Amino acid sequence: MTKTYDGGELLIDALTDLGVDVVFSSPGSEWAPAWEAFARRQAEGEAAPRYLDLTHETVAAGMATGYGLVTRRVQAVLLHAAPGLLQGSMAVHGALLAGVPMVVASSESLTYGDGPGQDPGGQWYRNLSIVGGTHQIAQPFTKWSQMAGSVSTLYDLVKRAGELSERQPAGPAYLNVPLEVLLEAGERPVRKAVVPRGRRQSDPADIAAVADLLAAAERPIIITETAGREPGGFEALRALAEDLGIGVIEPTSAVCANLPKDSPVHLGGELEPYIDDADLILLVNCRAPYYPPSRKPAKAKTVVIDEVPQRPHIVYQVLNADHYLEGALPETLEQLREATLERGGDFAARGAQFASGRDAWRSATDAAEQRALAAAGSGGAGGSGASGASGIDPVLLGVKLRGLVEAERAVVVDETITHSRVVQRHVGWQRPDSYFYVQGGLGQGIAVALGVKLAVADGFVVLTIGDGAFLYNPVVQSLLASKDLGLPLLIVIFNNRKYLSMKMNHLRFYPEGSAVATSNHLGVDLSTQPELSAFAAPFGMFHAAVDDASELDRVLAEAAAAVKAGTTAIVNVAVSR
């Protein structure tokens, strides 16, 4: 057995010392040195990350994203040369938007067979290489992109990439590791585990200034998108808002669970009823609070609480801040809570004034659900395909899913577009890390949900997805990963047989145009799609299609039982809109 200590060994050493416990790979031939290093460690009983072979780049990067959302640790993804990087680029960009720390690597050749050492193979000369190198390709959709030019720098460059990816704003870093560098013999490094990053603290004077404003405010509100993404952020935001009587809005741009839906200060997702009456607005991890960006509160001062408020990957960002607090989020929220409590005030009374808005949101939600339940009971519109209606009301589906999610304490991963508000409002969440919205472009949802499932182990994971989004996914490769790795999901398709969001935008721009006059809406029709749940059949998975509301409870129960028994279930639900 060869004992050569080469770049492949150094790569695995570095990933291990970063704390990586899983390597997600949709590989090419350049990774033979890494495979050899894994094989040696497995044969000799030496600790190493778990290696997962996956058959599509989106599956690899998407699973790493889902796993990282839950574990909040640095992830590792190995792709193939320039083609693999390009294929996986949307999922890597999704990791950037989701704030998942990740080291992504692929390769190129430096010698094309004309240099010393082992022959890299003619494919690099003929087909795989790209002018400027693969690190140039990755630059626009990663935090940092670099090439490892020598085996002597490989170990520390990989660790540097991981540490850079973990710093705020967290996101993927890319490393081009040429095949010749991986094959080159190297010296064993002086091994050192990477320690956790330090925590930033806000200046006490800044905390005091904001606490003065918050204690004096009559109608303060919080707008948040990703407070719950930070460890302890969900709990810290809840304590701040409930103890100090601050109304909280999670707009439709929220991408994770930030506050329990049943909190007495949760006001739903609509900004307009509140922002012009507010006298103080706290933007808590809220990168894009208003649309259009020029929309400003009528009278409120704005405090931005975010470790990195100006996100470098956002092309245009308008916050209109009057104050910034840029310490680590949970600590900053706790410091602000304590400082404001010290100043005193009738915070219970202040919070009580939001009861009417809270009640109105709850009443409107209940009314929509009651209408959907009543229609289903009567076999009316949106209730029963068997009685001639056009499908199941998506609100009814949301209600049924909420019951299942609560019963199973499930995590919901959402890749719907026109039904995302239904999922947020009617399925909802009560716990941290119980809801994640897929970012960065459609086609990643199954992979992200698989990564979440890998992280929560015995937990129950539900993926809600539109039929258009489902068709964008690498379905076969994702279901193969689910089966091979023992990662059962409940996949529920909100199927309206169209790209409804495209039609809605067309109607917004041309409400009386030719498409309306002729009923010729291009870019919309998905009526020729096959039965989507049947993709599960070749894998021996549960699959069902339902268009009758009277069958919905039974089908969802059977699907949930299949998932708990260890197999993915796909339920294709014909929805009425």
Side-chain angles (χ1 to χ4, degrees), residues 418-464:
T418 54
H419 296 111
S420 61
R421 295 188 182 192
V422 171
V423 173
Q424 289 182 349
R425 186 164 192 161
H426 299 284
V427 181
W429 50 81
Q430 303 296 344
R431 299 173 291 108
D433 294 341
S434 58
Y435 168 83
F436 298 103
Y437 188 77
V438 178
Q439 296 179 260
L442 295 176
Q444 308 170 60
I446 307 177
V448 172
L450 287 170
V452 169
K453 174 61 180 174
L454 183 66
V456 302
D458 293 334
F460 197 103
V461 178
V462 178
L463 171 66
T464 52

Short mmCIF file of all heavy atoms in Angstrom, two decimals, residues 418-464:
data_model
loop_
_atom_site.label_atom_id
_atom_site.label_comp_id
_atom_site.label_asym_id
_atom_site.label_seq_id
_atom_site.Cartn_x
_atom_site.Cartn_y
_atom_site.Cartn_z
N THR A 418 -45.84 31.46 -5.50
CA THR A 418 -47.14 32.09 -5.29
C THR A 418 -47.84 31.57 -4.03
O THR A 418 -48.76 32.22 -3.53
CB THR A 418 -48.05 31.86 -6.52
OG1 THR A 418 -48.12 30.46 -6.80
CG2 THR A 418 -47.51 32.59 -7.73
N HIS A 419 -47.41 30.43 -3.51
CA HIS A 419 -48.02 29.90 -2.30
C HIS A 419 -47.14 30.09 -1.06
O HIS A 419 -47.48 29.56 0.01
CB HIS A 419 -48.35 28.42 -2.48
CG HIS A 419 -49.38 28.17 -3.54
ND1 HIS A 419 -49.07 27.55 -4.74
CD2 HIS A 419 -50.70 28.49 -3.61
CE1 HIS A 419 -50.17 27.49 -5.49
NE2 HIS A 419 -51.16 28.06 -4.83
N SER A 420 -46.07 30.85 -1.18
CA SER A 420 -45.18 31.01 -0.02
C SER A 420 -45.89 31.73 1.13
O SER A 420 -45.67 31.41 2.30
CB SER A 420 -43.92 31.77 -0.43
OG SER A 420 -44.23 33.07 -0.91
N ARG A 421 -46.76 32.70 0.81
CA ARG A 421 -47.49 33.38 1.89
C ARG A 421 -48.47 32.43 2.58
O ARG A 421 -48.70 32.54 3.79
CB ARG A 421 -48.23 34.60 1.33
CG ARG A 421 -47.29 35.67 0.80
CD ARG A 421 -48.05 36.93 0.45
NE ARG A 421 -47.16 37.94 -0.11
CZ ARG A 421 -47.49 39.21 -0.30
NH1 ARG A 421 -48.70 39.64 0.04
NH2 ARG A 421 -46.63 40.07 -0.81
N VAL A 422 -49.04 31.52 1.80
CA VAL A 422 -49.92 30.52 2.40
C VAL A 422 -49.14 29.65 3.38
O VAL A 422 -49.59 29.39 4.50
CB VAL A 422 -50.58 29.65 1.30
CG1 VAL A 422 -51.32 28.46 1.92
CG2 VAL A 422 -51.52 30.49 0.46
N VAL A 423 -47.97 29.21 2.98
CA VAL A 423 -47.15 28.37 3.86
C VAL A 423 -46.75 29.15 5.10
O VAL A 423 -46.86 28.65 6.24
CB VAL A 423 -45.92 27.85 3.10
CG1 VAL A 423 -44.97 27.11 4.06
CG2 VAL A 423 -46.34 26.94 1.96
N GLN A 424 -46.29 30.39 4.93
CA GLN A 424 -45.88 31.18 6.09
C GLN A 424 -47.03 31.43 7.05
O GLN A 424 -46.88 31.32 8.27
CB GLN A 424 -45.29 32.51 5.63
CG GLN A 424 -43.94 32.41 4.96
CD GLN A 424 -43.38 33.78 4.57
OE1 GLN A 424 -44.07 34.80 4.61
NE2 GLN A 424 -42.12 33.80 4.20
N ARG A 425 -48.19 31.77 6.50
CA ARG A 425 -49.31 32.18 7.35
C ARG A 425 -50.09 31.02 7.93
O ARG A 425 -50.48 31.05 9.12
CB ARG A 425 -50.25 33.08 6.55
CG ARG A 425 -51.38 33.69 7.37
CD ARG A 425 -52.03 34.84 6.63
NE ARG A 425 -52.92 35.60 7.49
CZ ARG A 425 -53.32 36.85 7.23
NH1 ARG A 425 -52.89 37.46 6.14
NH2 ARG A 425 -54.13 37.48 8.06
N HIS A 426 -50.33 29.98 7.14
CA HIS A 426 -51.25 28.93 7.56
C HIS A 426 -50.56 27.66 8.04
O HIS A 426 -51.18 26.87 8.77
CB HIS A 426 -52.23 28.61 6.43
CG HIS A 426 -53.06 29.80 6.03
ND1 HIS A 426 -54.12 30.25 6.78
CD2 HIS A 426 -52.97 30.64 4.97
CE1 HIS A 426 -54.66 31.31 6.21
NE2 HIS A 426 -53.98 31.57 5.10
N VAL A 427 -49.32 27.43 7.63
CA VAL A 427 -48.54 26.34 8.23
C VAL A 427 -47.77 26.90 9.42
O VAL A 427 -47.89 26.42 10.53
CB VAL A 427 -47.59 25.70 7.20
CG1 VAL A 427 -46.81 24.55 7.84
CG2 VAL A 427 -48.38 25.18 6.00
N GLY A 428 -46.98 27.94 9.17
CA GLY A 428 -46.37 28.69 10.27
C GLY A 428 -45.28 27.95 11.00
O GLY A 428 -44.79 26.90 10.57
N TRP A 429 -44.90 28.50 12.16
CA TRP A 429 -43.85 27.92 12.99
C TRP A 429 -43.98 28.44 14.41
O TRP A 429 -44.53 29.51 14.66
CB TRP A 429 -42.47 28.27 12.43
CG TRP A 429 -42.30 29.74 12.16
CD1 TRP A 429 -41.99 30.71 13.05
CD2 TRP A 429 -42.45 30.39 10.89
NE1 TRP A 429 -41.94 31.94 12.43
CE2 TRP A 429 -42.22 31.77 11.10
CE3 TRP A 429 -42.74 29.95 9.60
CZ2 TRP A 429 -42.28 32.70 10.07
CZ3 TRP A 429 -42.80 30.88 8.58
CH2 TRP A 429 -42.57 32.24 8.82
N GLN A 430 -43.45 27.66 15.35
CA GLN A 430 -43.44 28.05 16.76
C GLN A 430 -42.06 27.92 17.38
O GLN A 430 -41.84 28.45 18.47
CB GLN A 430 -44.43 27.18 17.56
CG GLN A 430 -45.86 27.21 17.07
CD GLN A 430 -46.51 28.57 17.20
OE1 GLN A 430 -46.02 29.44 17.92
NE2 GLN A 430 -47.60 28.78 16.48
N ARG A 431 -41.15 27.24 16.70
CA ARG A 431 -39.85 26.92 17.28
C ARG A 431 -38.73 27.44 16.39
O ARG A 431 -38.91 27.59 15.17
CB ARG A 431 -39.69 25.40 17.43
CG ARG A 431 -40.70 24.75 18.34
CD ARG A 431 -40.56 23.23 18.29
NE ARG A 431 -40.99 22.68 17.01
CZ ARG A 431 -40.18 22.18 16.09
NH1 ARG A 431 -38.86 22.16 16.30
NH2 ARG A 431 -40.64 21.69 14.95
N PRO A 432 -37.55 27.67 16.96
CA PRO A 432 -36.40 28.01 16.12
C PRO A 432 -36.04 26.86 15.20
O PRO A 432 -36.28 25.69 15.51
CB PRO A 432 -35.28 28.30 17.13
CG PRO A 432 -35.69 27.62 18.39
CD PRO A 432 -37.19 27.64 18.40
N ASP A 433 -35.49 27.20 14.05
CA ASP A 433 -35.02 26.21 13.08
C ASP A 433 -36.13 25.26 12.63
O ASP A 433 -35.87 24.10 12.30
CB ASP A 433 -33.84 25.40 13.64
CG ASP A 433 -32.60 26.25 13.85
OD1 ASP A 433 -32.51 27.35 13.27
OD2 ASP A 433 -31.72 25.83 14.63
N SER A 434 -37.37 25.76 12.60
CA SER A 434 -38.48 24.91 12.16
C SER A 434 -39.03 25.34 10.81
O SER A 434 -39.99 24.73 10.32
CB SER A 434 -39.61 24.93 13.20
OG SER A 434 -40.08 26.25 13.43
N TYR A 435 -38.43 26.36 10.19
CA TYR A 435 -38.85 26.82 8.86
C TYR A 435 -37.65 27.42 8.15
O TYR A 435 -36.92 28.23 8.73
CB TYR A 435 -39.96 27.87 8.98
CG TYR A 435 -40.25 28.61 7.68
CD1 TYR A 435 -41.09 28.06 6.72
CD2 TYR A 435 -39.68 29.86 7.42
CE1 TYR A 435 -41.36 28.73 5.53
CE2 TYR A 435 -39.94 30.53 6.24
CZ TYR A 435 -40.78 29.98 5.30
OH TYR A 435 -41.03 30.64 4.13
N PHE A 436 -37.46 27.01 6.90
CA PHE A 436 -36.41 27.59 6.06
C PHE A 436 -36.97 27.79 4.66
O PHE A 436 -37.60 26.88 4.10
CB PHE A 436 -35.19 26.66 5.98
CG PHE A 436 -34.52 26.40 7.29
CD1 PHE A 436 -34.71 25.19 7.95
CD2 PHE A 436 -33.70 27.35 7.88
CE1 PHE A 436 -34.10 24.93 9.15
CE2 PHE A 436 -33.08 27.11 9.09
CZ PHE A 436 -33.28 25.90 9.74
N TYR A 437 -36.74 28.97 4.11
CA TYR A 437 -37.14 29.24 2.73
C TYR A 437 -35.91 29.11 1.84
O TYR A 437 -34.84 29.65 2.15
CB TYR A 437 -37.75 30.63 2.59
CG TYR A 437 -38.36 30.88 1.23
CD1 TYR A 437 -39.58 30.33 0.90
CD2 TYR A 437 -37.69 31.62 0.27
CE1 TYR A 437 -40.14 30.51 -0.36
CE2 TYR A 437 -38.23 31.82 -1.00
CZ TYR A 437 -39.46 31.27 -1.30
OH TYR A 437 -40.00 31.45 -2.54
N VAL A 438 -36.05 28.42 0.71
CA VAL A 438 -34.94 28.17 -0.19
C VAL A 438 -34.65 29.44 -0.99
O VAL A 438 -35.55 30.02 -1.59
CB VAL A 438 -35.24 27.00 -1.13
CG1 VAL A 438 -34.10 26.77 -2.11
CG2 VAL A 438 -35.51 25.73 -0.32
N GLN A 439 -33.38 29.85 -1.02
CA GLN A 439 -33.00 31.09 -1.66
C GLN A 439 -32.11 30.85 -2.88
O GLN A 439 -31.48 29.81 -3.01
CB GLN A 439 -32.25 31.99 -0.66
CG GLN A 439 -33.11 32.42 0.51
CD GLN A 439 -32.32 33.27 1.48
OE1 GLN A 439 -31.85 32.80 2.50
NE2 GLN A 439 -32.16 34.54 1.14
N GLY A 440 -32.08 31.84 -3.77
CA GLY A 440 -31.10 31.85 -4.83
C GLY A 440 -31.53 31.24 -6.14
O GLY A 440 -30.71 30.99 -7.02
N GLY A 441 -32.83 30.98 -6.33
CA GLY A 441 -33.29 30.41 -7.60
C GLY A 441 -33.93 29.06 -7.40
O GLY A 441 -33.50 28.26 -6.57
N LEU A 442 -34.96 28.77 -8.17
CA LEU A 442 -35.69 27.52 -8.03
C LEU A 442 -34.86 26.33 -8.50
O LEU A 442 -34.04 26.44 -9.40
CB LEU A 442 -36.98 27.59 -8.84
CG LEU A 442 -38.02 28.62 -8.38
CD1 LEU A 442 -39.20 28.64 -9.33
CD2 LEU A 442 -38.48 28.34 -6.96
N GLY A 443 -35.13 25.18 -7.90
CA GLY A 443 -34.48 23.95 -8.30
C GLY A 443 -33.58 23.34 -7.25
O GLY A 443 -32.92 22.34 -7.51
N GLN A 444 -33.58 23.90 -6.04
CA GLN A 444 -32.69 23.40 -4.98
C GLN A 444 -33.44 22.78 -3.81
O GLN A 444 -32.83 22.23 -2.90
CB GLN A 444 -31.85 24.56 -4.43
CG GLN A 444 -31.11 25.37 -5.47
CD GLN A 444 -30.53 26.62 -4.86
OE1 GLN A 444 -29.72 26.56 -3.94
NE2 GLN A 444 -30.95 27.78 -5.35
N GLY A 445 -34.77 22.87 -3.82
CA GLY A 445 -35.53 22.57 -2.63
C GLY A 445 -35.35 21.16 -2.09
O GLY A 445 -35.20 20.97 -0.88
N ILE A 446 -35.38 20.15 -2.97
CA ILE A 446 -35.26 18.78 -2.47
C ILE A 446 -33.89 18.58 -1.83
O ILE A 446 -33.77 17.98 -0.76
CB ILE A 446 -35.49 17.75 -3.59
CG1 ILE A 446 -36.82 18.02 -4.32
CG2 ILE A 446 -35.51 16.34 -3.00
CD1 ILE A 446 -37.08 17.08 -5.49
N ALA A 447 -32.86 19.13 -2.46
CA ALA A 447 -31.50 18.97 -1.92
C ALA A 447 -31.36 19.67 -0.57
O ALA A 447 -30.78 19.11 0.37
CB ALA A 447 -30.48 19.52 -2.91
N VAL A 448 -31.86 20.89 -0.46
CA VAL A 448 -31.77 21.60 0.81
C VAL A 448 -32.52 20.84 1.90
O VAL A 448 -32.03 20.69 3.03
CB VAL A 448 -32.32 23.04 0.67
CG1 VAL A 448 -32.40 23.73 2.04
CG2 VAL A 448 -31.43 23.86 -0.26
N ALA A 449 -33.71 20.33 1.56
CA ALA A 449 -34.47 19.55 2.54
C ALA A 449 -33.72 18.29 2.95
O ALA A 449 -33.75 17.89 4.13
CB ALA A 449 -35.84 19.20 1.97
N LEU A 450 -33.04 17.65 2.01
CA LEU A 450 -32.23 16.46 2.36
C LEU A 450 -31.11 16.84 3.32
O LEU A 450 -30.80 16.08 4.26
CB LEU A 450 -31.65 15.84 1.10
CG LEU A 450 -32.64 15.09 0.19
CD1 LEU A 450 -31.97 14.73 -1.14
CD2 LEU A 450 -33.17 13.84 0.88
N GLY A 451 -30.48 18.00 3.09
CA GLY A 451 -29.44 18.44 4.01
C GLY A 451 -29.98 18.73 5.39
O GLY A 451 -29.34 18.41 6.42
N VAL A 452 -31.16 19.35 5.46
CA VAL A 452 -31.80 19.58 6.75
C VAL A 452 -32.09 18.25 7.44
O VAL A 452 -31.83 18.07 8.64
CB VAL A 452 -33.09 20.40 6.57
CG1 VAL A 452 -33.91 20.43 7.86
CG2 VAL A 452 -32.76 21.82 6.12
N LYS A 453 -32.61 17.28 6.66
CA LYS A 453 -32.91 15.97 7.24
C LYS A 453 -31.64 15.30 7.76
O LYS A 453 -31.66 14.67 8.82
CB LYS A 453 -33.59 15.09 6.18
CG LYS A 453 -33.83 13.65 6.60
CD LYS A 453 -34.73 13.54 7.82
CE LYS A 453 -34.94 12.08 8.20
NZ LYS A 453 -35.69 11.95 9.48
N LEU A 454 -30.55 15.40 7.02
CA LEU A 454 -29.28 14.83 7.48
C LEU A 454 -28.88 15.42 8.83
O LEU A 454 -28.36 14.72 9.70
CB LEU A 454 -28.18 15.10 6.44
CG LEU A 454 -26.80 14.52 6.73
CD1 LEU A 454 -26.84 12.99 6.72
CD2 LEU A 454 -25.79 15.04 5.72
N ALA A 455 -29.16 16.72 9.02
CA ALA A 455 -28.77 17.39 10.26
C ALA A 455 -29.70 17.06 11.43
O ALA A 455 -29.24 16.91 12.56
CB ALA A 455 -28.74 18.90 10.04
N VAL A 456 -31.01 16.95 11.17
CA VAL A 456 -31.94 16.72 12.28
C VAL A 456 -32.12 15.24 12.58
O VAL A 456 -32.83 14.88 13.53
CB VAL A 456 -33.31 17.38 12.01
CG1 VAL A 456 -33.16 18.86 11.80
CG2 VAL A 456 -34.04 16.73 10.82
N ALA A 457 -31.49 14.38 11.78
CA ALA A 457 -31.46 12.92 12.02
C ALA A 457 -32.87 12.35 12.13
O ALA A 457 -33.54 12.17 11.13
CB ALA A 457 -30.62 12.62 13.26
N ASP A 458 -33.34 12.06 13.33
CA ASP A 458 -34.64 11.42 13.51
C ASP A 458 -35.80 12.39 13.36
O ASP A 458 -36.97 11.97 13.43
CB ASP A 458 -34.71 10.74 14.89
CG ASP A 458 -33.75 9.57 15.00
OD1 ASP A 458 -33.42 8.98 13.95
OD2 ASP A 458 -33.34 9.25 16.13
N GLY A 459 -35.54 13.66 13.15
CA GLY A 459 -36.61 14.64 13.00
C GLY A 459 -37.36 14.45 11.69
O GLY A 459 -36.88 13.83 10.73
N PHE A 460 -38.57 15.00 11.64
CA PHE A 460 -39.46 14.89 10.49
C PHE A 460 -39.31 16.16 9.66
O PHE A 460 -39.38 17.27 10.19
CB PHE A 460 -40.90 14.76 10.99
CG PHE A 460 -41.88 14.25 9.97
CD1 PHE A 460 -42.32 12.93 10.01
CD2 PHE A 460 -42.38 15.07 8.97
CE1 PHE A 460 -43.24 12.45 9.08
CE2 PHE A 460 -43.30 14.61 8.05
CZ PHE A 460 -43.73 13.29 8.09
N VAL A 461 -39.10 16.02 8.34
CA VAL A 461 -38.88 17.16 7.46
C VAL A 461 -39.93 17.15 6.35
O VAL A 461 -40.13 16.13 5.69
CB VAL A 461 -37.46 17.15 6.85
CG1 VAL A 461 -37.28 18.32 5.89
CG2 VAL A 461 -36.41 17.21 7.96
N VAL A 462 -40.59 18.30 6.17
CA VAL A 462 -41.58 18.49 5.12
C VAL A 462 -41.05 19.50 4.12
O VAL A 462 -40.61 20.59 4.52
CB VAL A 462 -42.92 19.00 5.70
CG1 VAL A 462 -43.93 19.23 4.58
CG2 VAL A 462 -43.48 18.03 6.73
N LEU A 463 -41.08 19.15 2.85
CA LEU A 463 -40.77 20.10 1.78
C LEU A 463 -42.06 20.50 1.10
O LEU A 463 -42.77 19.65 0.56
CB LEU A 463 -39.81 19.48 0.76
CG LEU A 463 -39.58 20.31 -0.52
CD1 LEU A 463 -38.86 21.62 -0.20
CD2 LEU A 463 -38.81 19.52 -1.56
N THR A 464 -42.39 21.78 1.13
CA THR A 464 -43.51 22.31 0.36
C THR A 464 -42.93 22.94 -0.90
O THR A 464 -41.99 23.72 -0.84
CB THR A 464 -44.31 23.34 1.17
OG1 THR A 464 -43.43 24.35 1.69
CG2 THR A 464 -45.02 22.67 2.34
#
